Amino acid sequence: MAQSNTAVVKTEPQSDSLNPRTHGYEFFGPPGATAVSIGVPFLTYALFFGCNEKTGCPPSFELAKLNVQANLTNLDWWASLWDTQAALIYLGWYAFCVAAWFVLPGDWVEGTTMRNGQKKKYKINAFSTFLLAMGGTAGYITRYGPSSFTFLYERFAGFATAALLMSFVQACYVYWSSYQSGALLALGGNSGNVIYDWYIGRELNPSIGSFDIKSFNELRPGLILWALIDISMACEQATRLGGWPTASMLLVCTFQIFYVVDGLYNEPAILTTMDITTDGFGFMLSVGDLLWVPFVYSLQARYLAFHPTQLGPAGVAGVLATNALGYYIFRAANGEKNDFRNGRNPKNLQFFTTESGSKLLTSGWWGFLRHPNYLGDLIMAFSWSLPTGFNTPITYFYFVYFFVLLVHRDSRDDHNCHVKYGKDWVKYKKIVPYTIVPYVY
Ligand code: NDP
């Protein structure tokens, strides 16, 4: 690991040949980008207003119709979306994450080589930021009791609005700054269409000095907030029950916080993901990182806060087994590929060498499916919804959404691999015909 506190930052303006015009759109171009930009916040609020204690989860069709009609013309309802206190607390939370990035020690690790030949360095201290936040929260709850940490439940919509504003402001700032710096742009984000580039991300690595805005947002303020929201939901439920949270709440919180810890602890692993190496930073990532992840992924815990579900020993065992199976596949598949891409092959897996010189595994998990890690991830996602029981389909939203996201992500990766490997990729697809679900898809 590199031990330095200087990061490679944009030095020279990049030439036009390094920053070619983007031809061809993803997400159905500007109309699609507009639809997603409006749809993501809309759906986040809809999941809140369509699944809460007052209206039910989901509300009956008649009630939903009445609510929509009443609220669209009701100024109080619109005003309820804004909560000054929640906005100030959110700002404090964001400032805490930035301060922790600066203050907490961490190794500086090099990312992959960019197309200008440079490597950027990233400070790795997301996990210590998490530990500090958790330590502070645990101390606070121990001192003042669970009822003191229910404000994320009570002011949920206000916090969501604050996060939405933060993601909007950041997307505007990085779009504007991409024109000031002459920096390296994302190959997909330089179409010249304002809406599309603002959404997809124009600049590859927007930074302020050595502070990399994209990787910071990927792991810290949204992901750790997700864990804090879950804890707040457990506190709300415990306060209502006058004791401990239920087993189902503990399972959901444990699984999700473990998932967050896994991502934060393995922070360097994000440096090779498509988000960091290929995508620019625009509204797509900022709203995903700051709004969507914490406020939608915590839906199961929020539901359990006002609708406690009891699981018997068999239910607990079933949920635990489902999660363990998913985690095993997820880790084993990612481990095989990571080992292989780092020059190790401890299981003596079969592979073939492509014309580009890179190798592709054809046995083990990667000989079984083209994205075995996605399958593991999906099984885990299912186990997060199971503890909520079968009273409502809404708590299974995350699983369905995640399936759609991974299918879409697979199509993007498939396209990239076709470009990278040509007929070798066609050969691999013949050897391994299924992508995520064995013998189905
Ligand atoms: P993958 O980890 O599946 O990586 C795809 C890449 O692996 C390909 O581009 C190719 O790159 C390489 N590869 C493909 N086939 C083979 C093979 N047979 N042998 C060796 N290498 C191969 O994709 P992602 O980056 O999308 O996912 C990373 C993880 O993140 C996954 O576990 C996924 O489930 C998770 N994820 C989670 C999300 C969430 O919101 N929770 C969202 C998206 C992903 P190359 O050949 O260039 O190395």
Side-chain angles (χ1 to χ4, degrees), residues 351-371:
F351 60 87
F352 73 91
T353 306
T354 64
E355 275 180 9
S356 71
S358 189
K359 294 166 181 155
L360 291 172
L361 286 164
T362 52
S363 73
W365 282 105
W366 298 83
F368 179 50
L369 290 168
R370 296 206 297 275
H371 278 294

Side-chain angles (χ1 to χ4, degrees), residues 259 272-274 297 330 334 337 340-341 358-362 366 370-371 373-374 377 398 401-402 405-406 409 413 417 420-421 425 428:
Y259 191 79
T272 53
T273 61
M274 200 154 67
Y297 288 16
F330 174 78
N334 279 326
K337 181 159 73 78
F340 192 65
R341 282 285 172 254
S358 189
K359 294 166 181 155
L360 291 172
L361 286 164
T362 52
W366 298 83
R370 296 206 297 275
H371 278 294
N373 45 359
Y374 289 4
D377 229 340
Y398 173 73
Y401 145 80
F402 197 42
L405 177 135
L406 290 180
R409 196 171 169 100
D413 189 56
C417 287
K420 238 183 310 185
Y421 297 125
W425 188 247
Y428 175 61

